[in-house]
Amino acid sequence: METIVFQSDQIKQAAALLRQGELVAFPTETVYGLGADALLPESVKQVFAVKGRPSDNPLIVHVADFSMTKNFVESYHPLTEKIVKNFWPGPLTLIFSIKSGSLSPVVTGGLSTAAFRMPDNKKTLSLIEETGAPLVGPSANTSGKPSPTTAMHVYHDLKGKIAGILDDGATEIGVESTVLDLSGKIPTILRPGAVTKEKLEEVLGIEVPLDKHLVKESETPKAPGMKYKHYSPDTQVLMIRAGDWEEALEWAEANDKKVGLLATPRIADQYQSADRFVFEDDSIEAATRGLFGGLRALDEANRTDIIFAEVFPEDHLGLAYMNRLKKAAAQKYFTKK
Ligand code: TXA
Ligand code: MG
């Protein structure tokens, strides 16, 4: 199959393919998604096949506005209106209990709840409207690869396997949306993202807990997808704490290991390395935006034996950055002898 890269003025062509049951990757503010019409179970099945994704991992239903969720949702949490008003469109996925039979079990993994998100990308909102149906959209990478933040990343992983990619440049945020469970009494964060715990608490005026597995590693995550080993490059990744760079690089030198640096200019400007991917500036926003692309670039260049990645404090957006980095690094930090 030829994979057509659509420019952002070719929404009608891309929507026509989706209506025919084909798969088309779409841009969002977080990462690129692998789109299929959520109401066509055969197409949704293809999404799992193409990604190599386990079938018990349910998908997000992307809508063009809040009213599109009403056909599916059984009951809304009392805070829904406030949350939607403040954070949609945006990087926040909401879990609701659904009317039985309203969505195929292929979409929900057979659960009585489903995930909904209105992405903050005009092209994709038009694409959903033009298709006339919500779109499922897991990240448009091969399972186990970092999520794609450019159309090129999608093309690299899925060319020949999907009908099209709607190209809208690099994504702004760089990690997947926050997943907030609204199916129970207490809104709970199942996956950290750019709508942070602190922002949610400020707007809602209540404490918004993290799912147990985000606090304690031995707990089973409530979002099925969080249990899989994600975002892992083939090259080993070590996380480097602020005071440890000098020693970590000395250790690499002594052991003849070629280092790929993944760091802010603040760190990268001080040290030599065989290869490097430097974030646009020293902010956590720039680091989060660059993380997946940086991991891909350093991994695929095959010039390095080990990637040294900068750590950030685990609060605000840093919680989302560290959640993804820790998975890529299999939790490993460089430690001094
Ligand atoms: O930013 C994003 O969310 C991107 C873009 C494309 O929108 N999409 C994305 O999809 O990251 P995916 O499939 O990679 O992640 C969806 C997450 C998974 O961890 C999945 O297990 C969880 O949401 N999820 C979906 N339905 C759920 C449900 N009913 N209950 C709990 N977790 C659910
Ligand atoms: Mg994913």
Side-chain angles (χ1 to χ4, degrees):
M1 170 187 306
E2 192 206 345
T3 301
I4 306 168
V5 179
F6 294 109
Q7 296 313 305
S8 47
D9 57 354
Q10 296 179 295
I11 288 164
K12 283 203 161 69
Q13 292 94 311
L17 287 175
L18 285 163
R19 280 197 303 270
Q20 289 160 30
E22 300 286 347
L23 309 190
V24 176
F26 59 82
T28 80
E29 76 282 36
T30 58
V31 301
Y32 274 73
L34 178 52
D37 182 329
L39 306 180
L40 301 175
E42 287 309 313
S43 306
V44 178
K45 267 187 208 157
Q46 279 305 308
V47 169
F48 287 90
V50 157
K51 275 185 61 93
R53 178 178 174 113
S55 61
D56 69 343
N57 189 4
L59 303 174
I60 298 172
V61 177
H62 293 76
V63 294
D65 55 42
F66 178 64
S67 71
M68 251 179 133
T69 66
K70 287 181 183 151
N71 288 335
F72 311 106
V73 175
E74 170 77 41
S75 61
Y76 290 103
H77 190 282
L79 288 170
T80 303
E81 207 185 312
K82 197 167 196 184
I83 292 170
V84 166
K85 215 172 142 204
N86 276 277
F87 297 108
W88 274 18
L92 179 65
T93 293
L94 301 175
I95 310 283
F96 297 116
S97 52
I98 53 164
K99 296 176 192 161
S100 93
S102 66
L103 282 166
S104 161
V106 190
V107 175
T108 62
L111 299 174
S112 59
T113 56
F116 297 89
R117 170 161 120 80
M118 179 184 177
D120 190 11
N121 180 289
K122 290 200 172 66
K123 308 293 168 357
T124 289
L125 294 177
S126 314
L127 182 69
I128 297 168
E129 271 165 10
E130 194 70 40
T131 306
L135 300 179
V136 295
S139 48
N141 51 294
T142 303
S143 261
K145 282 266 175 195
S147 293
T149 56
T150 66
M152 270 314 289
H153 295 157
V154 180
Y155 194 77
H156 176 274
D157 282 14
L158 302 179
K159 68 169 172 296
K161 297 182 175 172
I162 61 176
I165 304 170
L166 179 59
D167 189 353
D168 191 34
T171 63
E172 174 66 23
I173 292 171
V175 296
E176 307 84 347
S177 62
T178 305
V179 177
L180 184 70
D181 186 1
L182 288 180
S183 68
K185 228 185 180 133
I186 302 171
T188 304
I189 295 170
L190 306 187
R191 177 173 76 181
V195 171
T196 63
K197 175 175 161 69
E198 291 87 347
K199 273 190 221 161
L200 283 165
E201 291 182 338
E202 187 189 311
V203 165
L204 300 180
I206 54 169
E207 202 209 322
V208 180
L210 299 170
D211 185 40
K212 287 191 290 250
H213 90 282
L214 293 167
V215 183
K216 197 162 166 248
E217 243 173 73
S218 55
E219 299 279 349
T220 307
K222 190 156 182 228
M226 296 298 279
K227 71 174 181 270
Y228 295 107
K229 188 174 171 240
H230 268 116
Y231 329 117
S232 60
D234 297 326
T235 314
Q236 194 195 347
V237 180
L238 269 185
M239 296 182 281
I240 313 294
R241 294 190 181 89
D244 292 348
W245 283 94
E246 195 129 357
E247 242 169 297
L249 289 159
E250 278 167 18
W251 168 85
E253 169 102 52
N255 289 278
D256 235 1
K257 285 193 188 292
K258 276 188 264 144
V259 171
L261 267 185
L262 181 61
T264 60
R266 167 181 64 215
I267 295 292
D269 289 353
Q270 296 180 54
Y271 302 106
Q272 300 295 314
S273 60
D275 204 1
R276 56 184 53 219
F277 185 97
V278 183
F279 300 133
E280 285 157 35
D281 59 50
D282 291 337
S283 67
I284 181 62
E285 287 78 15
T288 304
R289 192 179 306 128
L291 178 63
F292 287 150
L295 286 170
R296 273 181 185 260
L298 292 171
D299 196 30
E300 275 151 24
N302 267 324
R303 288 188 291 260
T304 65
D305 303 313
I306 192 161
I307 297 170
F308 281 2
E310 183 168 346
V311 306
F312 276 82
E314 290 179 60
D315 56 9
H316 300 276
L317 186 57
L319 186 65
Y321 171 91
M322 289 301 293
N323 174 265
R324 303 328 189 264
L325 177 58
K326 280 179 170 175
K327 289 185 182 196
Q331 315 288 329
K332 288 201 178 71
Y333 287 89
F334 172 81
T335 49
K336 299 182 194 182
K337 283 275 157 55

